[in-house]
Amino acid sequence: MPLTCHECGAPDCRDLFDRLLALEFSRPDPYGRLHAVTVPAWFLQHPDRAPDGTRTDHWAILQRWQRDGLDGVHDVVRRRRVANRRGQDLPTAMDEPVPPVPDQVSTAVTIGHVAGPGRDFPEIGHAARVADWLRAIATS
Ligand SMILES: [Zn+2]
């Protein structure tokens, strides 16, 4: 019997997230290229499990995605890698003020939707299902 997540309401949520991460690490397209947005999305819906101090940045990343798409987020990731290598402060995800993070983001769309009806993250439509998830959270 599936366990319903007490934070987002999706059945077997943590198991689905682990399976998604495994796909992201093994298959760049269409999964791995979305890793920079799926991790913030999942943690925003799971504040009890999010590493301390990451919520504001995760929120800013989704705001950046909403404004500039995946290319904008990948630009942040690239600039952070360079700054990290040089021992510099990491650039912020947004170059303009970001609305405050809501205490509770929308859980109208969860990782259960991203997994699809067979709960196996089918390749076809994956990016669109992730976009549904991100949009629901970013507009909370
Ligand atoms: Zn959950």
Side-chain angles (χ1 to χ4, degrees), residues 12-23:
D12 290 332
C13 165
R14 180 66 220 205
D15 179 54
L16 290 176
F17 186 51
D18 287 341
R19 283 158 51 195
L20 178 60
L21 292 175
L23 283 168

Side-chain angles (χ1 to χ4, degrees), residues 30-55:
Y31 305 103
R33 56 191 296 274
L34 295 165
H35 181 70
V37 286
T38 59
V39 169
W42 195 82
F43 279 118
L44 281 165
Q45 288 185 331
H46 300 85
D48 288 359
R49 291 182 255 192
D52 285 348
T54 56
R55 194 166 171 80

Side-chain angles (χ1 to χ4, degrees), residues 3 60 94 101 104 106-107 124 136 140:
L3 288 174
M94 281 287 268
V101 193
Q104 182 78 53
S106 171
T107 53
I124 294 176
S140 294

Side-chain angles (χ1 to χ4, degrees), residues 1-138:
M1 189 154 143
L3 288 174
T4 300
C5 175
H6 77 279
E7 293 192 278
C8 78
D12 290 332
C13 165
R14 180 66 220 205
D15 179 54
L16 290 176
F17 186 51
D18 287 341
R19 283 158 51 195
L20 178 60
L21 292 175
L23 283 168
E24 290 177 348
F25 288 120
S26 62
R27 298 187 44 203
D29 191 32
Y31 305 103
R33 56 191 296 274
L34 295 165
H35 181 70
V37 286
T38 59
V39 169
W42 195 82
F43 279 118
L44 281 165
Q45 288 185 331
H46 300 85
D48 288 359
R49 291 182 255 192
D52 285 348
T54 56
R55 194 166 171 80
T56 301
D57 183 59
H58 286 161
W59 178 248
I61 287 172
L62 291 204
Q63 299 305 309
R64 180 68 188 259
W65 171 83
Q66 205 176 23
R67 193 188 75 184
D68 299 332
L70 197 56
D71 287 347
V73 174
H74 285 167
D75 178 58
V76 172
V77 171
R78 242 186 329 269
R79 288 187 296 112
R80 285 181 175 179
R81 274 198 201 114
V82 170
N84 194 40
R85 250 195 323 267
R86 294 176 179 163
Q88 300 167 334
D89 291 340
L90 301 184
T92 56
M94 281 287 268
D95 48 16
E96 62 182 62
V98 173
V101 193
D103 291 336
Q104 182 78 53
V105 298
S106 171
T107 53
V109 180
T110 68
I111 195 164
H113 170 76
V114 177
R119 305 171 54 72
D120 57 354
F121 299 97
E123 201 175 313
I124 294 176
H126 181 70
R129 285 187 302 278
V130 168
D132 294 339
W133 188 29
L134 303 178
R135 200 171 302 112
I137 296 168

